[in-house]
Structures are given as C-alpha cells and as structure tokens.
Amino acid sequence: MQTIPSYKLRNGVEIPAVGFGCYKLATDEVNELMRQAYDNGYRHFDTASFYGTEEGMGDAFKTLGIDRKSLFLTSKAWKTELDDVESAFYATLKRLKTDYLDLYLIHWPRPDLSDPSWAETDLKAWHVMEKLYKKGDVRAIGVSNFLPQHLLPLLADCEVAPMVDQLEIHPGYGQECAVSFAKEHGIQMEAWSPLSRGRVTSHPLLQELAEKYGCSTAQICLHYAVQQGIIPLPKSSSPERMRQNLDVFSFSLSEEDLYRLRTMPQAGWSGEHPDFERVFF
C-alpha cells in the first residue's frame, strides 16, 4: 500500500493529493473495486449523484468494514438538483450510508444553456451548501466545471468561498486560465479525466517522456497534474494500474519537460464545455 500526500484546503481540511474516480463503475464490480482501491492506498473517492454509484459504494464500504474516518468522500449535486440541493445532499448521504461528506460540489454551473438566470440558480444553490457546511454535515464545499466567469458571481455574493474546483485537465487540455484564477483565489484545483480516457496517452511527446523517466504515459499525465498542485482523479479497474496511478510522487519532471507538456497543442478534449453544447467527435 502506498501513502498519498495531502493538501490543506482553505479551511484547514486535509485532502489526499490523488483521488479515485468512481464514474461508470459496473454495479457488480463496485465491492471488489472499492476493496482493491482501498488496499492499494486510495482514501479519496470521487462520485456524484449522476454517476449512479453512490449506493453501491456505500454498501461496499459497509460490507468491507472500512472505517469512515479513514475516507475522504466527495459527491456532487447534478443539474436537476440545484432547485433543492438540501434534499439532494441528504439523499446522497443516505445512499453512501454516511452522516457527513468531506466535500460536496455543484456539478455544472449552467443547468440549462438557454436559461439566462443560471448565475442566480447557482447562487441560490450555493447559499444552501453554505448552510450545510456551517451545520457541519459537510467538511468542505466547492464546484465542478466552473470557469472564472462562473465563479465570479459566487465570489461576489458568498459567505464561504468555494474551496475546490474540478475541471477536465490533462496534457493537451491544461485549462491554464482557469487554473491560474483558482490559485489566485485560494481554490484547490482537481482534474477529472486526468488520463483523457486514453486519448493522449499515445501522443509522441507522452511516449518520449515515459521512456525518459522510466514510467508509463499514464504516470506522466498524472504527474503533470501533481507537479502543478492539481489533484488528479484517475479511474481504473486493474489493481496494477491502480498502484501505478499512485506511484507518481517518486520522480519529478524537469522544468523544460513540464513546459513542453503545458504548451502542447490541444489534444484529447472530451468535447464537454459548460458554456456550449457537447461536441461529439
């Protein structure tokens, strides 16, 4: 089992520097995947109501007898839940079989692209999340897929500023503007799809650097995130790849090589953008 370093959020809560992504886990595999991930050192698990994996994860942690205090659990309020975030939050707790969350996020900033009042919807939901935070039912609150233009309305009218923002980030899609904005405002950045679902791992630059540093292209992708202080959330069903995905702290990319990755032409984008319709390739 590998030990994962942690970062401190603005409020002092410690968050493991690598998480386990729980999107699209097969129902009949959840118990075994949670056990393997936990045994390999993962303590940070990222899910969402939209993923449909909360109940299976809750069952798995209970069946496996895993101490709740050893886990860092994140979930998210989906687009259709923003009008009643409080009910959505407690439904998530029930499915996960826990009485608190470590981190709760608004999943997307614009539930309906045709609705000009999205900022008011976000702010109303955020104020409910602030209440949940002050009550102590969640240890930290934040957002997902929010770019600077989506964060500004929240920052202008909040009592508790977002502590985390989760975006698609990987070599070829570094979101440099959003990452810089988050750092300026003390917001911890997380990376979903840090391996680009395999779309950039065959890129010649990734292959060159993997050979140079004696690691896999996936490890280059993940270290690209951690060397910038970004928390990657890789997903894997293979115990060996689970271990490899945590073994990203034993080497460091040279300054030159990190800049080569940060200045790559756009590659591996999923087609998702919060201000536009999904692009299918």
Side-chain angles (χ1 to χ4, degrees):
M1 185 184 76
Q2 301 182 58
T3 301
I4 307 171
S6 296
Y7 300 120
K8 279 192 177 181
L9 300 179
R10 184 191 299 109
N11 65 348
V13 167
E14 292 196 1
I15 180 170
V18 177
F20 190 83
C22 298
Y23 178 55
K24 286 190 175 179
L25 298 182
T27 303
D28 59 347
E29 296 179 348
V30 173
N31 266 37
E32 182 61 15
L33 288 175
M34 294 300 99
R35 183 191 66 77
Q36 290 174 352
Y38 189 86
D39 287 349
N40 278 297
Y42 290 90
R43 296 295 180 267
H44 177 178
F45 294 86
D46 179 87
T47 188
S49 60
F50 178 72
Y51 297 172
T53 56
E54 292 174 329
E55 189 164 9
M57 290 169 64
D59 289 340
F61 293 136
K62 183 176 181 179
T63 300
L64 296 168
I66 294 174
D67 180 8
R68 172 65 182 90
K69 292 181 180 179
S70 72
L71 300 173
F72 190 99
L73 297 182
T74 299
S75 194
K76 312 175 191 75
W78 184 240
K79 299 175 182 180
T80 56
E81 297 174 325
L82 295 191
D83 287 334
D84 192 358
V85 169
E86 188 166 8
S87 294
F89 175 80
Y90 288 113
T92 280
L93 291 190
K94 184 177 180 179
R95 288 190 292 268
L96 283 169
K97 296 175 175 58
T98 182
D99 57 3
Y100 71 97
L101 277 185
D102 298 285
L103 178 62
Y104 196 50
L105 310 176
I106 295 177
H107 205 148
W108 286 90
R110 299 184 63 176
D112 181 349
L113 292 180
S114 65
D115 184 359
S117 64
W118 60 266
E120 289 84 353
T121 300
D122 289 350
L123 192 58
K124 178 183 175 183
W126 186 255
H127 288 158
V128 175
M129 291 173 64
E130 288 178 323
K131 182 176 74 171
L132 296 169
Y133 172 70
K134 292 175 184 177
K135 189 178 176 182
D137 288 345
V138 59
R139 299 173 67 218
I141 51 178
V143 295
S144 177
N145 299 296
F146 276 56
L147 299 174
Q149 63 267 30
H150 310 124
L151 284 164
L152 285 173
L154 289 188
L155 293 171
D157 193 14
C158 66
E159 293 183 45
V160 180
M163 300 166 192
V164 169
D165 191 4
Q166 189 179 112
L167 293 175
E168 177 183 358
I169 298 173
H170 50 74
Y173 200 66
Q175 303 261 44
E176 297 270 345
C177 175
V179 170
S180 176
F181 182 92
K183 288 182 177 179
E184 289 172 7
H185 290 82
I187 299 170
Q188 174 64 54
M189 189 61 73
E190 294 185 333
W192 63 260
S193 196
L195 304 178
S196 72
R197 297 176 189 166
R199 290 182 294 268
V200 297
T201 50
S202 61
H203 192 284
L205 176 56
L206 275 292
Q207 293 181 333
E208 175 196 329
L209 294 180
E211 183 176 354
K212 176 178 178 178
Y213 290 95
C215 62
S216 68
T217 52
Q219 287 170 308
I220 293 292
C221 286
L222 296 174
H223 191 84
Y224 162 87
V226 300
Q227 194 161 327
Q228 297 183 80
I230 299 168
I231 298 172
L233 304 168
K235 171 194 168 186
S236 178
S237 58
S238 160
E240 178 57 30
R241 287 196 295 272
M242 287 181 189
R243 288 189 287 271
Q244 286 185 1
N245 289 347
L246 289 182
D247 185 17
V248 293
F249 301 98
S250 60
F251 68 96
S252 183
L253 298 170
S254 71
E255 183 178 28
E256 178 184 355
D257 287 336
L258 182 58
Y259 275 121
R260 292 175 71 195
L261 290 170
R262 291 176 66 183
T263 57
M264 276 177 60
Q266 181 170 303
W269 177 44
S270 68
E272 299 264 18
H273 191 289
D275 287 333
F276 299 95
E277 295 291 345
R278 172 73 186 271
V279 176
F280 293 92
F281 299 102

